[in-house]
Amino acid sequence: MSLKDKKIKTEKSSELAVKCEGITKTFSTGDSEVMALRGTDLDVRKGELLLLAGPSGCGKTTLISIISGILKNDKGFCAVFGQDVTHMKEEELALFRAKQIGFVFQQFNLIPTLTAAENVSIPLIINGMDRKHATIEAGNVLEHVGLADKKSSYPLQLSGGQQQRVAIARAIVHRPKLVVCDEPTSALDGTNGHRVMTLLKSLVGGTDNAMIVVTHDSRVFEFGDRIAEMEDGVILRVGPYRKDIHGH
Ligand SMILES: Nc1ncnc2c1ncn2[C@@H]1O[C@H](COP(=O)(O)OP(=O)(O)OP(=O)(O)O)[C@@H](O)[C@H]1O
Ligand SMILES: [Mg+2]
């Protein structure tokens, strides 16, 4: 890519929250290879909550992991708020991730030896807040997800749905520009699913944030501004949420 092309691309991409172009990713395990992403393009607008839907194994987690700088792609380009996360140096990327990205893992990934409040305070401490204030702030966010009485509990003392809400609190506590949630309601009942989605939706809008929510859950669809439909490593279409097509 020439310098001029790179500048044009970066300028264009800064108008969007996320711009992915031609992302490929192949996993090799032993003698077999899986091409999880096959030249995937995706735009996420500033201020929107974009849903990412598609069958199991189609590449959703792989794509959002690359967008979030957790996983390296093979080919292609992805910019998050104008910053090319696919070509950033490791140190710069670690800083960018810590400040600007909140990620809810499909398997929650809580640290078992830390309490709920301590787990949630991690992004704040990484960003330089002292432990005392970070724990207070973490407690406030835990109250917002309905876990006021579980701040001192360890992950193994919590139900799956409670652990999921701790993971969501941890992803939003430092007010990142981009929140990425992998199936955030999979372990939640109707009431808590609705509560969490209402909270997540209330956090997006304006020009300096956006959210991507991977979901199979039709109860979540009404919270999306648009739905990107993925199949076999590519995005087939992106459109507004429509009750008549997408159901619920
Ligand atoms: N670390 C890995 N090593 C090898 N193969 C992998 C790895 N991660 C993902 N894959 C493969 O890549 C493909 C896409 O996986 P991915 O986890 O992105 O799917 P998904 O759409 O998130 O599915 P689900 O809805 O079940 O979570 C699958 O075929 C999967 O088996
Ligand atoms: Mg997945």
Side-chain angles (χ1 to χ4, degrees):
M1 199 191 307
S2 76
L3 261 181
K4 191 176 157 215
D5 286 347
K6 196 168 178 188
K7 190 152 185 276
I8 289 168
K9 257 191 174 166
T10 308
E11 274 169 11
K12 197 172 140 204
S13 62
S14 67
E15 291 159 20
L16 290 161
V18 177
K19 177 154 198 70
C20 295
E21 262 179 28
I23 302 278
T24 66
K25 178 71 183 176
T26 299
F27 291 107
S28 307
T29 37
D31 47 9
S32 72
E33 286 201 333
V34 179
M35 195 166 185
L37 300 178
R38 306 167 177 269
T40 313
D41 299 329
L42 181 68
D43 288 353
V44 183
R45 297 172 185 156
K46 290 178 178 173
E48 89 170 328
L49 191 158
L50 181 92
L51 301 172
L52 180 58
S56 179
C58 73
K60 303 180 297 295
T61 298
T62 305
L63 178 60
I64 58 169
S65 302
I66 289 167
I67 292 171
S68 305
I70 296 168
L71 183 71
K72 284 283 166 218
N73 56 315
D74 297 330
K75 287 190 186 144
F77 155 94
C78 178
V80 176
F81 285 91
Q83 303 274 313
D84 182 354
V85 292
T86 45
H87 295 93
M88 244 182 226
K89 287 201 187 107
E90 199 45 55
E91 259 176 45
E92 197 187 351
L93 181 60
L95 259 179
F96 183 76
R97 237 180 4 226
K99 257 195 172 1
Q100 310 295 8
I101 293 175
F103 198 97
V104 181
F105 292 89
Q106 201 164 5
Q107 315 296 340
F108 317 150
N109 290 10
L110 298 176
I111 297 177
T113 52
L114 299 181
T115 64
E118 287 165 348
N119 265 284
V120 175
S121 68
I122 292 169
L124 297 174
I125 290 170
I126 289 175
N127 281 295
M129 192 181 280
D130 65 82
R131 198 169 291 265
K132 189 177 154 208
H133 285 102
T135 309
I136 294 169
E137 192 73 12
N140 291 339
V141 181
L142 282 169
E143 285 171 22
H144 277 298
V145 296
L147 294 176
D149 55 339
K150 300 291 181 188
K151 292 176 194 171
S152 307
S153 301
Y154 290 91
L156 285 174
Q157 299 171 323
L158 300 172
S159 71
Q162 289 165 343
Q163 289 181 40
Q164 189 159 39
R165 281 180 281 157
V166 175
I168 290 164
R170 183 180 57 183
I172 61 178
V173 70
H174 54 310
R175 300 189 177 94
K177 279 188 165 179
L178 180 67
V179 176
V180 180
C181 306
D182 205 349
E183 303 271 4
T185 59
S186 60
L188 301 182
D189 60 25
T191 310
N192 279 308
H194 198 272
R195 179 177 189 164
V196 156
M197 285 312 300
T198 304
L199 170 66
L200 291 176
K201 180 77 181 162
S202 75
L203 301 176
V204 280
T207 55
D208 64 355
N209 60 43
M211 197 174 287
I212 303 173
V213 175
V214 172
T215 192
H216 285 107
D217 183 353
S218 61
R219 298 170 305 176
V220 167
F221 288 169
E222 64 184 290
F223 292 92
D225 294 305
R226 295 187 303 153
I227 299 188
E229 294 171 54
M230 192 167 187
E231 210 174 287
D232 204 13
V234 290
I235 303 288
L236 291 182
R237 63 186 84 79
V238 186
Y241 163 70
R242 282 184 49 191
K243 227 174 196 168
D244 53 332
I245 296 176
H246 300 109
H248 193 54

